[in-house]
Amino acid sequence: MEERKVLNMYYPLDFDPAKIPRRRMPKNQQIKVRLMLPMSIRCSTCENHIYKGTKFNSYKEDVIGEIFKCYFNCTKCSAEITIKTDPQNSDYVVESGAARNVEPGRAEDENQRERKHAAA
């Protein structure tokens, strides 16, 4: 029974991995990923609230350097929502299709960041 659980593969003696053709992919390709929403948002089309931690199948693409864009659909009306990373503030920004809900502690954190940035 244990011969079924072997994880090794047989490679012949004349096997050369350099002869295997490589796939060339475009740099701006969209990759399908499973995304957990990093903040609570409200859809601008149907006013549906989508809460932090909701999981989505989304498409991710690299924009410029460290910035990533993620596209996913609203759970109620299937409107497209776009968020992108904000590396300077270590946060996310809703680009289109929704609005970010008000978070009480977030305003205080932003004020502290501005004070540190002004003092430096």
Side-chain angles (χ1 to χ4, degrees):
M1 293 289 285
E2 297 212 13
E3 63 274 0
R4 293 184 304 133
K5 298 179 182 179
V6 174
L7 299 176
N8 301 1
M9 300 288 287
Y10 171 74
Y11 294 105
L13 295 175
D14 60 344
F15 176 74
D16 185 14
K19 292 181 182 177
I20 298 173
R22 299 220 176 224
R23 292 189 330 180
R24 301 287 181 204
M25 294 194 205
K27 296 206 183 249
N28 60 354
Q29 177 188 359
Q30 292 184 346
I31 301 169
K32 189 183 281 190
V33 293
R34 183 90 169 148
L35 172 75
M36 186 178 282
L37 202 60
M39 66 216 153
S40 296
I41 59 174
R42 189 182 77 243
C43 178
S44 59
T45 306
C46 66
E47 303 296 321
N48 181 30
H49 288 271
I50 306 170
Y51 298 103
K52 180 179 181 177
T54 306
K55 292 182 181 178
F56 290 98
N57 291 326
S58 65
Y59 292 97
K60 179 187 86 160
E61 74 177 18
D62 300 334
V63 180
I64 302 168
E66 301 174 353
I67 299 175
F68 298 105
K69 269 189 189 177
C70 295
Y71 304 93
F72 58 93
N73 294 332
C74 174
T75 55
K76 189 175 180 183
C77 68
S78 298
E80 186 177 67
I81 299 172
T82 307
I83 62 172
K84 69 178 182 178
T85 58
D86 184 13
Q88 292 159 342
N89 297 325
S90 300
D91 202 8
Y92 293 88
V93 177
V94 178
E95 193 171 60
S96 67
R100 190 171 186 158
N101 288 353
V102 177
E103 298 171 5
R106 187 168 172 252
E108 296 171 7
D109 292 341
E110 286 180 358
N111 290 338
Q112 289 177 357
R113 276 193 215 127
E114 289 175 5
R115 288 184 203 140
K116 282 184 180 178
H117 193 275

mmCIF file of all heavy atoms in Angstrom, residues 42-48 79-81 96-99:
data_model
loop_
_atom_site.group_PDB
_atom_site.id
_atom_site.type_symbol
_atom_site.label_atom_id
_atom_site.label_comp_id
_atom_site.label_asym_id
_atom_site.label_seq_id
_atom_site.Cartn_x
_atom_site.Cartn_y
_atom_site.Cartn_z
ATOM 1 N N ARG A 42 -18.839 50.313 1.309
ATOM 2 C CA ARG A 42 -20.237 50.365 0.895
ATOM 3 C C ARG A 42 -20.270 50.535 -0.613
ATOM 4 O O ARG A 42 -19.659 51.453 -1.163
ATOM 5 C CB ARG A 42 -20.938 51.542 1.564
ATOM 6 C CG ARG A 42 -22.452 51.534 1.351
ATOM 7 C CD ARG A 42 -23.113 52.747 1.982
ATOM 8 N NE ARG A 42 -22.873 53.904 1.129
ATOM 9 C CZ ARG A 42 -22.191 54.988 1.486
ATOM 10 N NH1 ARG A 42 -21.660 55.077 2.674
ATOM 11 N NH2 ARG A 42 -22.034 55.985 0.652
ATOM 12 N N CYS A 43 -20.981 49.644 -1.287
ATOM 13 C CA CYS A 43 -21.090 49.685 -2.744
ATOM 14 C C CYS A 43 -21.809 50.968 -3.160
ATOM 15 O O CYS A 43 -22.836 51.327 -2.583
ATOM 16 C CB CYS A 43 -21.845 48.451 -3.246
ATOM 17 S SG CYS A 43 -22.092 48.426 -5.031
ATOM 18 N N SER A 44 -21.283 51.657 -4.165
ATOM 19 C CA SER A 44 -21.907 52.911 -4.607
ATOM 20 C C SER A 44 -23.109 52.667 -5.515
ATOM 21 O O SER A 44 -23.905 53.571 -5.726
ATOM 22 C CB SER A 44 -20.877 53.786 -5.318
ATOM 23 O OG SER A 44 -20.351 53.096 -6.416
ATOM 24 N N THR A 45 -23.273 51.457 -6.031
ATOM 25 C CA THR A 45 -24.399 51.158 -6.913
ATOM 26 C C THR A 45 -25.642 50.776 -6.128
ATOM 27 O O THR A 45 -26.716 51.338 -6.329
ATOM 28 C CB THR A 45 -24.031 50.011 -7.873
ATOM 29 O OG1 THR A 45 -22.820 50.356 -8.545
ATOM 30 C CG2 THR A 45 -25.122 49.777 -8.887
ATOM 31 N N CYS A 46 -25.514 49.806 -5.221
ATOM 32 C CA CYS A 46 -26.689 49.283 -4.511
ATOM 33 C C CYS A 46 -26.691 49.618 -3.022
ATOM 34 O O CYS A 46 -27.596 49.193 -2.296
ATOM 35 C CB CYS A 46 -26.773 47.764 -4.697
ATOM 36 S SG CYS A 46 -25.418 46.870 -3.929
ATOM 37 N N GLU A 47 -25.686 50.362 -2.544
ATOM 38 C CA GLU A 47 -25.576 50.753 -1.126
ATOM 39 C C GLU A 47 -25.438 49.548 -0.191
ATOM 40 O O GLU A 47 -25.769 49.630 0.987
ATOM 41 C CB GLU A 47 -26.769 51.621 -0.696
ATOM 42 C CG GLU A 47 -26.960 52.879 -1.512
ATOM 43 C CD GLU A 47 -25.813 53.860 -1.374
ATOM 44 O OE1 GLU A 47 -25.288 54.001 -0.254
ATOM 45 O OE2 GLU A 47 -25.442 54.482 -2.380
ATOM 46 N N ASN A 48 -24.961 48.446 -0.690
ATOM 47 C CA ASN A 48 -24.743 47.246 0.121
ATOM 48 C C ASN A 48 -23.457 47.404 0.926
ATOM 49 O O ASN A 48 -22.434 47.821 0.399
ATOM 50 C CB ASN A 48 -24.653 46.015 -0.792
ATOM 51 C CG ASN A 48 -24.449 44.738 -0.033
ATOM 52 O OD1 ASN A 48 -24.894 44.603 1.095
ATOM 53 N ND2 ASN A 48 -23.764 43.798 -0.644
ATOM 54 N N ALA A 79 -21.613 44.682 -9.253
ATOM 55 C CA ALA A 79 -20.886 45.830 -9.798
ATOM 56 C C ALA A 79 -19.400 45.668 -9.476
ATOM 57 O O ALA A 79 -19.033 45.148 -8.429
ATOM 58 C CB ALA A 79 -21.406 47.123 -9.189
ATOM 59 N N GLU A 80 -18.537 46.141 -10.384
ATOM 60 C CA GLU A 80 -17.102 45.978 -10.171
ATOM 61 C C GLU A 80 -16.574 47.021 -9.198
ATOM 62 O O GLU A 80 -16.886 48.209 -9.298
ATOM 63 C CB GLU A 80 -16.350 46.086 -11.496
ATOM 64 C CG GLU A 80 -14.875 45.781 -11.343
ATOM 65 C CD GLU A 80 -14.142 45.804 -12.660
ATOM 66 O OE1 GLU A 80 -14.025 46.882 -13.243
ATOM 67 O OE2 GLU A 80 -13.698 44.728 -13.077
ATOM 68 N N ILE A 81 -15.773 46.578 -8.237
ATOM 69 C CA ILE A 81 -15.152 47.436 -7.235
ATOM 70 C C ILE A 81 -13.646 47.283 -7.377
ATOM 71 O O ILE A 81 -13.144 46.173 -7.552
ATOM 72 C CB ILE A 81 -15.607 47.051 -5.817
ATOM 73 C CG1 ILE A 81 -17.123 47.207 -5.696
ATOM 74 C CG2 ILE A 81 -14.897 47.893 -4.775
ATOM 75 C CD1 ILE A 81 -17.705 46.670 -4.420
ATOM 76 N N SER A 96 -12.585 52.796 -7.158
ATOM 77 C CA SER A 96 -13.866 53.026 -7.812
ATOM 78 C C SER A 96 -14.872 51.964 -7.407
ATOM 79 O O SER A 96 -14.508 50.874 -6.987
ATOM 80 C CB SER A 96 -13.702 53.009 -9.343
ATOM 81 O OG SER A 96 -13.349 51.713 -9.769
ATOM 82 N N GLY A 97 -16.156 52.321 -7.521
ATOM 83 C CA GLY A 97 -17.226 51.370 -7.288
ATOM 84 C C GLY A 97 -17.722 51.278 -5.863
ATOM 85 O O GLY A 97 -18.735 50.637 -5.609
ATOM 86 N N ALA A 98 -17.035 51.909 -4.920
ATOM 87 C CA ALA A 98 -17.442 51.817 -3.510
ATOM 88 C C ALA A 98 -16.889 52.998 -2.735
ATOM 89 O O ALA A 98 -16.097 53.784 -3.257
ATOM 90 C CB ALA A 98 -16.950 50.511 -2.899
ATOM 91 N N ALA A 99 -17.320 53.114 -1.492
ATOM 92 C CA ALA A 99 -16.811 54.127 -0.578
ATOM 93 C C ALA A 99 -16.416 53.443 0.723
ATOM 94 O O ALA A 99 -17.074 52.501 1.162
ATOM 95 C CB ALA A 99 -17.864 55.193 -0.304
#
